[in-house]
Amino acid sequence: MTHQSHPLVQVGEEVADALAEGRAVVALESTIISHGMPYPDNVAMAREVEGIVRAHGAVPATIAVLDGVPRVGLDEASLELLGSDPDVAKLSVRDLPLVVAQRRHGATTVAATMRLAHLAGIRVFVTGGLGGVHRGAERTFDVSADLGELAVTPVTVVSAGVKSILDIGLTLETLETNGVPVLVHGSDEFPSFYSRSSGYAAPSRVDSAAEVAAAMRVADGLGLASGMVVANPVPETDEIPAAEIADVIEQALADLDARGTTGQDVTPYLLGRIVELTGGASLRTNIALVRDNAAFGADVAVSYAGR
Ligand code: PSU
Ligand code: MN
C-alpha cells in the first residue's frame, strides 16, 4: 500500500508511517544508481546503504520516478530496474513535468530528489557527491541545478563534498550567495569527494550529528527557505589522495572535451571515465564514502527527529 501526502507523490507505507509518527527518515537519490555507478555494484550499493540507514535507526526512502509516478520508498525490484535498465532517464527538476506526463522512468538527481523529498515531508537526504559549478563555466554556463534547488528547498543534504571535476571555489561561492549553510563534519577543510582535502577551508565545522540537527532546528525557526549542505569527508582509509586523483581528473576532462559531450551527460561521462582510468579504485572509494554518509546522515535524522 502507498500513501499520498501530495497528489502526485506516492510515499511507501513504511516511510509514510515513520513520517506520521515523527520518526527519522532519510531520503536517498537514484541518479547515483542509474547514472553514477556501473551495474551490478550500483544495485548492491543501493541495498547496502538502505541497510546502513536502518542500522542507525532511521527509515530509508529511495526516490525515483517509475512509470511516471514520483515514488518515495522503493522495493528491491525497483532498485534492480533502476540499476540495470538503460532507458531510465537522468531526471533533474526541469525534467519532472515531461517524464511524469509521459509516464516514463527517471532516476532523480540531487535537485529532483530534494524537491520530491520536501513534498513528502522528509528533511534529511544522503548522497555521494553534489553537483556544482563546472570548470570553465564562464564559457559553458554549466552550473548544476543542484545549487539552484539548495537555494529554495529546505532539505539537509549529506555528501562527501564536491569532486574536483567541478570548480570547488566557485561552487562554494555560489552556495554562499544563495544563503546555503555549508557545515563540514569533523574537519577544517572542505572535502573533495575522493579526497579529504580540497585546498578550500571549511565554511564552518561541526563535530556531531546533534550539532547539525540543532542548526536545522534554528533554520526551521527562522523560516529559512534554503537547504543545508553537510560535507562529510571520506574516511582516511578509503580516500584517494588529491595529488593522486588530480591527473586522472585532468585526463577525464580532456577526454570530455575531445568527445564534445555537453549538458546533462557531462557528469555521468566523467564519473564513468574516472572509474575506467583508476581501474575501479574510484568506485571502491565512491561506495565507501556513500556508506559513511549514510551512517552520519541517519544519525542526523535521528537526532533531528528526537527534538
Ligand atoms: N556527483 C557525484 N556523483 C553523482 C552525481 C554527482 O559525485 O552521482 C550525480 C548526482 O545525482 C547529482 C548529479 O545531482 O550527478 C548532478 O548532475 P549535473 O552536474 O548534470 O547537474
Ligand atoms: Mn550541467
Side-chain angles (χ1 to χ4, degrees), residues 29-33 35-37 90 92 107-113 125 127-132 134 142-146 161-163 165-166 193-194 263-268 271 286:
E29 64 150 311
S30 45
T31 291
I32 190 177
I33 305 173
H35 303 275
M37 288 183 194
K90 175 181 167 189
S92 193
T108 50
T109 63
V110 168
T113 305
F125 164 26
T127 184
L130 288 181
H134 281 260
D142 191 351
V143 177
S144 176
D146 294 356
V162 167
K163 278 198 179 69
I165 58 172
L166 303 175
F193 194 84
Y194 299 119
Q264 63 175 6
D265 298 331
V266 167
T267 299
L271 299 180
N286 196 344

Side-chain angles (χ1 to χ4, degrees), residues 91-176:
L91 193 157
S92 193
V93 172
R94 68 107 177 250
D95 306 299
L96 273 169
L98 197 60
V99 169
V100 170
Q102 293 181 334
R103 306 207 179 296
R104 288 160 52 205
H105 299 321
T108 50
T109 63
V110 168
T113 305
M114 284 182 76
R115 182 65 64 97
L116 294 174
H118 178 57
L119 291 177
I122 301 173
R123 288 288 276 110
V124 179
F125 164 26
V126 164
T127 184
L130 288 181
V133 180
H134 281 260
R135 294 206 213 166
E138 69 277 14
R139 254 183 314 110
T140 62
F141 274 41
D142 191 351
V143 177
S144 176
D146 294 356
L147 297 183
E149 198 60 31
L150 277 160
V152 299
T153 299
V155 170
T156 294
V157 184
V158 180
S159 74
V162 167
K163 278 198 179 69
S164 52
I165 58 172
L166 303 175
D167 187 317
I168 298 176
L170 293 187
T171 300
L172 289 171
E173 289 293 350
T174 304
L175 288 165
E176 184 197 348

Side-chain angles (χ1 to χ4, degrees), residues 181-297:
V182 177
L183 317 183
V184 179
H185 176 220
S187 173
D188 295 317
E189 192 167 352
F190 187 78
S192 59
F193 194 84
Y194 299 119
S195 319
R196 296 179 60 83
S197 63
S198 67
Y200 293 89
S204 48
R205 172 178 175 149
V206 291
D207 287 285
S208 69
E211 279 180 89
V212 178
M216 287 171 63
R217 275 175 227 130
V218 175
D220 291 347
L222 295 172
L224 299 188
S226 65
M228 200 176 278
V229 168
V230 175
N232 183 46
V234 59
E236 251 167 82
T237 46
D238 301 302
E239 86 165 326
I240 304 178
E244 216 172 285
I245 199 76
D247 288 348
V248 169
I249 285 171
E250 291 302 334
Q251 182 65 52
L253 287 167
D255 295 345
L256 175 79
D257 249 13
R259 285 168 55 103
T261 298
T262 56
Q264 63 175 6
D265 298 331
V266 167
T267 299
Y269 172 75
L270 290 171
L271 299 180
R273 189 71 186 120
I274 291 168
V275 173
E276 284 173 10
L277 289 168
T278 60
S282 70
L283 180 60
R284 288 191 289 280
T285 295
N286 196 344
I287 292 169
L289 65 83
V290 175
R291 280 193 199 115
D292 200 61
N293 293 345
F296 188 64

